[in-house]
Amino acid sequence: MANGNIKVLKTILNWSEEPFDESYFKDHDFVAGDIDSLSQAGVHAEYLDTLKALKKEIQAYLDWAQPKLDAGVNEGDLTLFSTVNLHIFQTYYGGLRPNADHTKWIYGDYKLVSQFIEGGQDLKGWLEDQGALFDESVQPTIVGALWNRENDFLGCDLDGDGTADPDGSNTKGKSVFNTYIATTKNTLLNTVANAADNAIMTRTKAESLLTDDGAVTGVKAKMYDGTEVTLHANKGVVLATGGYAANIQRVMDTNEYWADGDITSSTKTTNRSSLVGDGIDMGTEVGAGTTGMGWTQMMPISWVDNGNLAFGGGNYAIYLNPKDGTRYVNETSERDVLSLGEFENGVSYDGAQGTVIEIANASQAIPGPYPYGTPKDSDLTLWNSDVENRQYTRTVDQLDDLFKQLGFDCTGEQVKETILAYDKALMENKGEDLDPEKTGWTALIGNAEKDENGNYKEDTYTLDGVQLKVRLLAPSTHHTMGGLTIDDERHVLDEKGNVIKGLYAAGEVTGGIHGGNRLGGNAIVEIFVSGRTAANAIDADQK
């Protein structure tokens, strides 16, 4: 259990079971990520049974945990509480959001949310059958995930010898994100090898869907050299083309959530350039409906120079205002909460609006660049090297010169005071007393030893001489929650809710699942589950 998460569980335990009342926020400020307030507004009817079941699970856990806490055991040393109901409910409230003027609310469709979470419970075993290898000794988290729900991905075993293949692209060091690449490569290779009629067409762009009397019967495409291709589907077509986060103009045109000026034509993206919404267009051209198109997720931990994902998590780091060196957000909050905080507290740097300072202990392994846990010396040497306009490794007494070099107004002394106050509160297990509070934390910024109960020994604390990782981060577009309207079998629906025969969709091209904000890691689970669901639906529709 990460420190501070008991408070989250107790908030859920006291969540109002009355029907969700939007009017509650006429007299109370809505602050994204503030579940203390959100919990007073009630719950949508579809999620009530999940909430009731979750409360029983939480109470049973607290009945076990509280005596241990009372005996002096540190919360971070307790066995992690994690259930399917918690995941479903956090996906619900993590995506429950109003539009900018609070005239419309959005949240994930219960059937779709519960389906991908419940369907994901056997996902790891299925991936392992495809060659994926996981480290079950750690339970890390990623930015905006709200909970520790992952295992470290160690690579893909393509040759079946039980170890990750050392071919460069499929070995450890790529985090959970490479699970998809490695295992899909293995699955595709096996599929093509075992079915002579299958083919993978690269450098070929799908342009439109073929229809016959309203049913989708194939795809028209064009190869890189101009050769036109017509693919006839015997059973159905699955759109799995992703979202449109790389289409900044489309993001701005559809936006209903972000304040005017937050997203501009100079906003960068974590996405590859091809993700501009072509699959959604292909679907709507044959009558498909769309939902949730006004909500785009910004990735708060993106490099300021090119918008690429910097990787990492807020459980071990602090995010600081470059103007005064203060914290401004609970770093383990949802991604939209972190991005909203950046736009409000950050500065324009190298053309990136909302640039902030992230500081962590340089010995902390960052999820993504290398394996979780204790990094090798070579990993740290590489990843802690200075990269201009991105990251720097400094001791606290060297921060003043760095900030002057970067043109920031904050001083090293201001940041030192912030770190000392932050670490002191965490060592005293009073993260909730910080302003902003800190939940779900796992590490200090400075160094301190722990006692046998997992509590920090304050008299061993030091910040002087500690190597700090300083990164410059800003929001960039990352995931579009809106997309094609689907049912829970991944049939694409028209604007009246009717199934478009022969057309299915999976992954980010669909809408209705994540509401107004996607929890970190949920897309990885959803793409696999929705892909399998679509395939099973095609098979069932032929019978």
Side-chain angles (χ1 to χ4, degrees):
M1 176 70 69
N3 284 276
N5 280 342
I6 290 286
K7 179 181 183 295
V8 176
L9 295 179
K10 289 181 177 178
T11 300
I12 296 173
L13 190 62
N14 293 309
W15 202 288
S16 170
E17 296 180 8
E18 294 297 315
F20 183 76
D21 183 8
E22 298 176 9
S23 67
Y24 175 84
F25 294 102
K26 291 182 179 179
D27 300 320
H28 302 81
D29 290 336
F30 173 80
V31 179
D34 178 8
I35 63 170
D36 289 333
S37 177
L38 191 61
S39 67
Q40 302 304 308
V43 60
H44 287 88
E46 313 94 289
Y47 286 90
L48 179 58
D49 287 345
T50 295
L51 174 60
K52 289 181 176 180
L54 175 57
K55 286 184 176 184
K56 292 180 180 179
E57 294 168 345
I58 291 174
Q59 188 60 63
Y61 177 82
L62 293 177
D63 289 344
W64 168 84
Q66 195 61 53
K68 298 180 183 300
L69 295 172
D70 294 341
V73 176
N74 185 275
E75 179 183 343
D77 273 15
L78 293 178
T79 300
L80 176 70
F81 173 87
S82 186
T83 70
V84 169
N85 286 321
L86 177 65
H87 194 177
I88 291 172
F89 197 70
Q90 288 192 313
T91 298
Y92 160 65
Y93 75 67
L96 177 57
R97 295 291 187 268
N99 60 359
D101 59 10
H102 290 202
T103 58
K104 179 172 65 175
W105 287 75
I106 188 173
Y107 61 96
D109 178 278
Y110 178 79
K111 287 185 177 180
L112 296 176
V113 170
S114 59
Q115 181 192 55
F116 93 79
I117 292 173
E118 291 170 354
Q121 299 309 302
D122 66 350
L123 187 57
K124 186 163 68 173
W126 181 76
L127 290 171
E128 288 171 332
D129 289 342
Q130 308 302 316
L133 301 174
F134 296 95
D135 179 2
E136 296 186 3
S137 67
V138 292
Q139 194 81 49
T141 187
I142 58 176
V143 67
L146 293 184
W147 215 253
N148 297 63
R149 290 194 173 94
E150 303 192 23
N151 288 131
D152 182 12
F153 175 61
L154 298 177
C156 192
D157 176 21
L158 297 179
D159 57 18
D161 67 356
T163 60
D165 298 325
D167 63 357
S169 63
N170 295 328
T171 55
K172 61 184 178 181
K174 301 298 183 181
S175 182
V176 67
F177 299 99
N178 211 38
T179 307
Y180 172 75
I181 298 171
T183 56
T184 301
K185 174 182 176 182
N186 191 21
T187 302
L188 287 176
L189 289 175
N190 288 338
T191 301
V192 172
N194 294 329
D197 292 336
N198 288 345
I200 299 174
M201 301 186 69
T202 59
R203 302 175 71 185
T204 303
K205 181 181 179 181
E207 296 187 327
S208 62
L209 298 172
L210 298 175
T211 61
D212 181 12
D213 194 25
V216 173
T217 59
V219 179
K220 294 192 69 173
K222 184 176 292 185
M223 299 182 71
Y224 69 96
D225 61 0
T227 302
E228 294 186 350
V229 178
T230 300
L231 302 172
H232 297 286
N234 293 325
K235 297 181 178 180
V237 173
V238 181
L239 289 170
T241 53
Y244 54 92
N247 188 338
I248 303 300
Q249 187 60 53
R250 187 171 196 164
V251 169
M252 290 192 293
D253 290 343
T254 58
N255 173 53
E256 295 187 52
Y257 185 65
W258 301 98
D260 291 343
D262 284 352
I263 304 173
T264 70
S265 58
S266 62
T267 297
K268 299 179 178 66
T269 184
T270 64
N271 287 204
R272 65 180 185 269
S273 60
S274 60
L275 290 174
V276 294
D278 289 340
I280 295 174
D281 293 338
M282 292 168 61
T284 56
E285 286 170 2
V286 297
T290 59
T291 184
M293 295 290 284
W295 281 263
T296 295
Q297 182 169 84
M298 307 297 291
M299 172 51 71
I301 53 170
S302 302
W303 296 122
V304 298
D305 56 353
N306 63 5
N308 286 350
L309 177 58
F311 292 97
N315 52 306
Y316 57 80
I318 54 175
Y319 302 145
L320 305 179
N321 185 321
K323 294 171 286 210
D324 58 18
T326 59
R327 291 177 61 244
Y328 56 86
V329 72
N330 181 353
E331 293 86 355
T332 59
S333 298
E334 298 94 322
R335 291 175 179 178
D336 66 329
V337 176
L338 301 179
S339 297
L340 287 165
E342 288 173 332
F343 284 131
E344 182 177 349
N345 295 274
V347 299
S348 178
Y349 182 85
D350 197 29
Q353 296 189 85
T355 298
V356 299
I357 302 166
E358 178 198 81
I359 292 183
N361 193 303
S363 66
Q364 169 68 49
I366 296 176
Y370 44 72
Y372 294 105
T374 303
K376 297 178 182 178
D377 290 342
S378 58
D379 292 326
L380 281 177
T381 299
L382 173 64
W383 206 248
N384 284 331
S385 300
D386 282 8
V387 178
E388 187 176 1
N389 294 334
R390 283 194 176 188
Q391 64 179 30
Y392 305 85
T393 303
R394 297 289 189 273
T395 58
V396 70
D397 61 336
Q398 297 172 328
L399 292 178
D400 218 32
D401 289 339
L402 175 62
F403 296 149
K404 289 177 181 177
Q405 171 190 330
L406 296 173
F408 294 156
D409 292 335
C410 64
T411 66
E413 186 61 30
Q414 288 174 323
V415 171
K416 180 179 180 180
E417 291 178 4
T418 297
I419 294 174
L420 290 175
Y422 174 84
D423 280 350
K424 179 176 175 57
L426 298 192
M427 286 189 290
E428 295 176 350
N429 295 314
K430 295 181 179 179
E432 63 189 65
D433 291 343
L434 285 167
D435 186 17
E437 70 173 356
K438 184 67 176 242
T439 57
W441 61 272
T442 57
L444 305 177
I445 306 302
N447 290 332
E449 298 175 7
K450 290 184 177 181
D451 64 20
E452 64 278 6
N453 287 322
N455 294 301
Y456 286 104
K457 297 190 285 187
E458 292 188 53
D459 59 351
T460 68
Y461 176 79
T462 183
L463 183 60
D464 295 335
V466 174
Q467 293 292 310
L468 304 176
K469 180 71 158 293
V470 182
R471 304 200 300 174
L472 308 185
L473 305 174
S476 62
T477 61
H478 180 61
H479 187 104
T480 46
M481 274 78 70
L484 298 174
T485 306
I486 55 170
D487 64 15
D488 58 3
E489 292 183 311
R490 266 49 182 190
H491 296 107
V492 176
L493 308 179
D494 65 21
E495 294 180 346
K496 295 182 179 180
N498 301 311
V499 169
I500 298 177
K501 187 177 179 180
L503 186 59
Y504 308 78
E508 193 181 351
V509 72
T510 67
I513 302 171
H514 306 292
N517 173 72
R518 179 178 64 82
L519 298 191
N522 270 4
I524 300 296
V525 179
E526 197 280 325
I527 58 175
F528 283 113
V529 174
S530 63
R532 291 194 299 174
T533 301
N536 290 336
I538 290 174
D539 183 58
D541 289 344
Q542 306 308 306
K543 297 178 180 178

